[in-house]
Amino acid sequence: MRIIQPNVVKEDDYSGRWRFLLMLILCAMTVLIGRAVFLQVLDRQFLKQQGDLRHVGILPVPAHRGRIIDRNGELLAVSTPVKSIWINPKEFLKTEVTHEQLKALADLVGMSVKEIKQRIGQDDHRGFVYIKRRMNPELVDQAMALGIPGIYDEREYRRYYPTGEVTAHLLGFTDIEDKGQEGMELGFDASLRGTDGAKRIIRDGKRRIIEDLENIRLPVPGKDLTLSIDERLQYLAYRELKKAVMQHRARSGSLVLLDSQTGEVLAMVNQPSYNPNSRGKLKGNPSRNRAITDLYEPGSTMKPFAVACALELGLTHPNTVYSTAGGQMRVGHNIVKDVHSYGSLDVTGILQKSSNVGVTKIALSVPPKKFWAFYNNLGFGQPLDSGFPGEAHGRLSDYQGWNAFEQATLSFGYGVSTSTAQLARAYSSLANDGVIPMVSLLKRDTPPEAHRIMSAKTATTVRTMLESVVSTGGTAQKAAIPGFRVSGKTGTVKKSGAHGYTESLYMSLFTGLAPASKPRLVMVVMIDEPSAGEYYGGAVAAPVFSSVMEGALRLLNIAPDEPTPLMAGRQDEPA
């Protein structure tokens, strides 16, 4: 009989298995240790670079916007350093922030706690939201000291205008990104803005900048812009125009002061104005520069050009006498009227009394093509090419469509539209002995481009005749300046409405030159819809001219010219 014994595992088999497992563990540990040594020692630099790359970013470096200064170096616009506060909602919403902290932040940024919470929202996937931009750096530093998680700051620039509303229409303003939006800021934005730079930085896990690595591209600062404006004259013009607009309860007004020799604009102001440093409550379009963008019919201020045209062609003479008896004249199916019947007037008397009948007779002696060409050469209907955005061209219709009455109305300033700046440019031809320089809002270092419009003799003759307008018997005695001879012309323009020209709405104008013997300055004053009673150009606009021109002549140290006896014997009549 055979006996079967149970299987018995030998001790050697167990020990063999344990040795095998131990070998596997040792091999695994060796591989891990080797890998650790490789990563921490042999490949450390590579891994460090890879880690840095995951936190390296490129940060834009804003360029400093160029300054705007006046012709004497006085500061008109500058970008000052400010700070902005932003928040990382992803980080902010994961932490507990006390109501007291949020209330302190809200007080510093000028918002309510509710407004801040609304701005942050509940979306924890966003990584960037502005809380308040362009703040005082000290206030931002106080906000950062509150220690609220997810709140950060960054440096920016804010545009500041030291002269405020005095130069607002000319300079314009920039937006929150410091880019030009109106005026010279917009027209010359490309050169003022410069080119932003860039640098490589390292951020930590909370997006805080912990190290600057390198400058990739240095920012290129914007170029400074030197205007032709004289800040002293700008203040003077602004003050007097504002006073007149308020005194006469006018709708608006504009004033332009030119250097007749260089064509440089020394002052350009408008009413109403605004403060470019605080534009939160602006309504409508108060930022437009009326002096260069708004058009109107210039009325009797055009009469000297009709006379100059006829003189230049030899079709009249200063002593030529015209009958204006009855104070009216039929032209085709229309009637041209004067305010009064002046009887017989020479050419000087026609300008002094501002006779529509007299200037119509002079204008109709000129061939239409010649008449149109003279006005066109003066710049009517032509751009100023000043570089100012939105400048108006005005309107001068083609002579081929004229009839006699249209030519007549052009002689006393209806049927043609112009801006205050264009009218000043045209008058510079009379001041500059028949040569008209290109108008510039930038300071000139070289002689301007200029064109001869008429002979020096014609310009001097008209200029001399216009002295009678400011003398006894003229329509603008209030434009006179003690110690100086002044040439000028008034304009009182009926405004057009839905049913033709009104009998109650007017524009009051005065255009003048000084010193009359050798004019250095040209000024146009326009006041729209005076409603306090007076509306004639000689009563409303002429006093503004006198005040501003007298101050300008003194500030520029322009010597008085030789006095001449004032013309007498004629009664003062409105224009």
Side-chain angles (χ1 to χ4, degrees):
M1 179 176 174
R2 186 177 178 183
I3 299 174
I4 301 175
Q5 295 182 351
N7 292 332
V8 178
V9 178
K10 296 182 180 179
E11 183 177 348
D12 289 343
D13 292 338
Y14 282 108
S15 62
R17 292 180 180 180
W18 280 110
R19 283 196 298 271
F20 178 73
L21 291 174
L22 182 60
M23 289 294 294
L24 287 176
I25 293 171
L26 290 175
C27 288
M29 291 179 62
T30 302
V31 170
L32 291 175
I33 293 172
R35 181 61 176 168
V37 171
F38 178 79
L39 294 176
Q40 296 295 323
V41 180
L42 301 179
D43 209 23
R44 181 185 181 190
Q45 187 62 32
F46 171 79
L47 293 175
K48 182 179 183 301
Q49 290 176 353
Q50 293 299 310
D52 289 344
L53 286 174
R54 282 159 176 76
H55 295 84
V56 168
I58 295 178
L59 187 71
V61 180
H64 190 277
R65 190 174 179 86
R67 303 175 304 164
I68 301 179
I69 57 179
D70 85 334
R71 63 185 305 106
N72 301 313
E74 295 296 326
L75 194 62
L76 303 177
V78 63
S79 290
T80 57
V82 292
K83 286 185 176 181
S84 295
I85 296 178
W86 63 276
I87 191 167
N88 183 345
K90 185 185 301 184
E91 181 182 349
F92 176 85
L93 295 172
K94 291 180 179 179
T95 58
E96 293 292 334
V97 179
T98 66
H99 178 77
E100 288 73 19
Q101 285 178 306
L102 278 181
K103 182 65 170 61
L105 176 63
D107 291 341
L108 288 171
V109 301
M111 300 170 64
S112 66
V113 173
K114 182 180 179 181
E115 288 174 323
I116 292 179
K117 288 183 176 179
Q118 288 176 342
R119 185 158 295 186
I120 297 171
Q122 297 299 318
D123 184 0
D124 61 1
H125 295 291
R126 293 181 300 165
F128 186 94
V129 175
Y130 275 118
I131 296 297
K132 187 68 173 289
R133 299 189 67 178
R134 305 201 314 187
M135 292 179 58
N136 185 317
E138 293 183 1
L139 293 178
V140 175
D141 291 342
Q142 293 178 38
M144 298 306 297
L146 297 174
I148 300 175
I151 299 291
Y152 304 100
D153 65 341
E154 66 179 27
R155 181 177 177 178
E156 294 186 299
Y157 289 101
R158 180 179 181 177
R159 203 66 161 168
Y160 175 65
Y161 303 93
T163 50
E165 62 184 46
V166 174
T167 55
H169 292 110
L170 181 63
L171 300 183
F173 52 84
T174 61
D175 62 8
I176 199 162
E177 303 293 343
D178 216 20
K179 296 178 181 178
Q181 298 298 298
E182 293 281 354
M184 301 298 279
E185 292 277 28
L186 173 60
F188 293 86
D189 183 63
S191 61
L192 285 167
R193 190 170 62 234
T195 305
D196 289 346
K199 64 180 180 179
R200 203 182 306 276
I201 50 88
I202 296 179
R203 298 182 186 272
D204 62 11
K206 296 183 178 181
R207 291 186 57 81
R208 293 175 297 191
I209 298 173
I210 58 176
E211 184 180 352
D212 287 347
L213 291 181
E214 62 175 333
N215 287 317
I216 299 174
R217 182 178 64 255
L218 292 176
V220 179
K223 296 179 181 178
D224 289 348
L225 190 67
T226 303
L227 302 187
S228 58
I229 297 300
D230 187 318
E231 183 189 38
R232 302 169 301 169
L233 304 184
Q234 185 81 1
Y235 267 112
L236 173 63
Y238 180 82
R239 182 189 69 197
E240 295 301 320
L241 182 67
K242 183 176 183 178
K243 182 169 68 175
V245 168
M246 294 177 63
Q247 175 186 343
H248 295 283
R249 297 202 298 272
R251 179 182 181 183
S252 62
S254 62
L255 183 154
V256 173
L257 176 63
L258 289 182
D259 185 317
S260 64
Q261 298 172 4
T262 65
E264 293 173 300
V265 178
L266 300 179
M268 179 180 283
V269 295
N270 300 275
Q271 279 296 314
S273 189
Y274 68 99
N275 185 354
N277 297 309
S278 179
R279 306 188 302 276
K281 298 181 180 180
L282 292 183
K283 296 181 180 180
N285 186 23
S287 62
R288 77 177 189 271
N289 186 352
R290 299 172 186 270
I292 205 168
T293 64
D294 285 17
L295 298 173
Y296 52 84
E297 292 176 307
S300 293
T301 59
M302 294 294 286
K303 290 174 180 174
F305 301 123
V307 169
C309 181
L311 287 172
E312 186 73 3
L313 295 174
L315 300 174
T316 191
H317 187 273
N319 296 324
T320 303
V321 177
Y322 295 86
S323 174
T324 66
Q328 63 181 28
M329 172 185 176
R330 178 173 291 278
V331 181
H333 299 291
N334 300 279
I335 301 294
V336 174
K337 296 181 179 181
D338 282 336
V339 176
H340 298 291
S341 175
Y342 300 115
S344 296
L345 295 173
D346 61 13
V347 178
T348 300
I350 288 173
L351 290 176
Q352 185 187 34
K353 295 300 183 183
S354 197
S355 170
N356 293 338
V357 173
V359 78
T360 292
K361 290 186 173 183
I362 294 174
L364 291 180
S365 70
V366 180
K369 184 176 181 180
K370 296 284 187 180
F371 196 85
W372 176 89
F374 195 81
Y375 272 29
N376 182 68
N377 289 337
L378 285 165
F380 295 108
Q382 305 294 323
L384 281 172
D385 291 328
S386 65
F388 193 92
E391 67 175 33
H393 292 189
R395 178 181 178 273
L396 176 64
S397 61
D398 189 88
Y399 67 92
Q400 293 179 342
W402 292 356
N403 56 39
F405 184 68
E406 286 178 298
Q407 184 166 340
T409 58
L410 284 170
S411 70
F412 49 87
Y414 289 90
V416 58
S417 63
T418 184
S419 68
T420 303
Q422 284 179 314
L423 189 57
R425 173 178 65 178
Y427 265 81
S428 68
S429 65
L430 298 176
N432 204 32
D433 292 336
V435 176
I436 186 169
M438 298 295 289
V439 172
S440 177
L441 290 168
L442 303 181
K443 184 179 180 181
R444 281 188 165 134
D445 298 319
T446 58
E449 180 184 350
H451 305 279
R452 179 163 293 280
I453 306 300
M454 67 191 86
S455 67
K457 180 181 178 181
T458 297
T460 303
T461 300
V462 174
R463 199 165 66 225
T464 302
M465 289 192 290
L466 289 177
E467 288 189 65
S468 68
V469 176
V470 187
S471 305
T472 302
T475 59
Q477 294 182 51
K478 292 182 179 180
I481 300 172
F484 289 88
R485 291 163 53 188
V486 174
S487 295
K489 186 69 190 76
T490 54
T492 306
V493 186
K494 291 182 179 180
K495 297 189 68 174
S496 61
H499 305 289
Y501 290 100
T502 69
E503 295 295 333
S504 59
L505 299 178
Y506 295 89
M507 298 183 72
S508 304
L509 291 103
F510 183 81
T511 301
L513 323 170
S517 60
K518 189 174 178 59
R520 167 75 186 280
L521 301 176
V522 177
M523 186 189 303
V524 176
V525 181
M526 185 281 291
I527 297 181
D528 186 21
E529 295 186 18
S531 61
E534 295 180 308
Y535 58 87
Y536 288 116
V540 177
V544 180
F545 169 89
S546 178
S547 298
V548 177
M549 184 63 80
E550 182 178 13
L553 293 168
R554 175 177 52 82
L555 288 170
L556 297 177
N557 295 317
I558 298 175
D561 44 9
E562 293 295 327
T564 59
L566 297 180
M567 297 185 64
R570 290 172 171 144
Q571 294 182 352
D572 186 24
E573 295 289 350

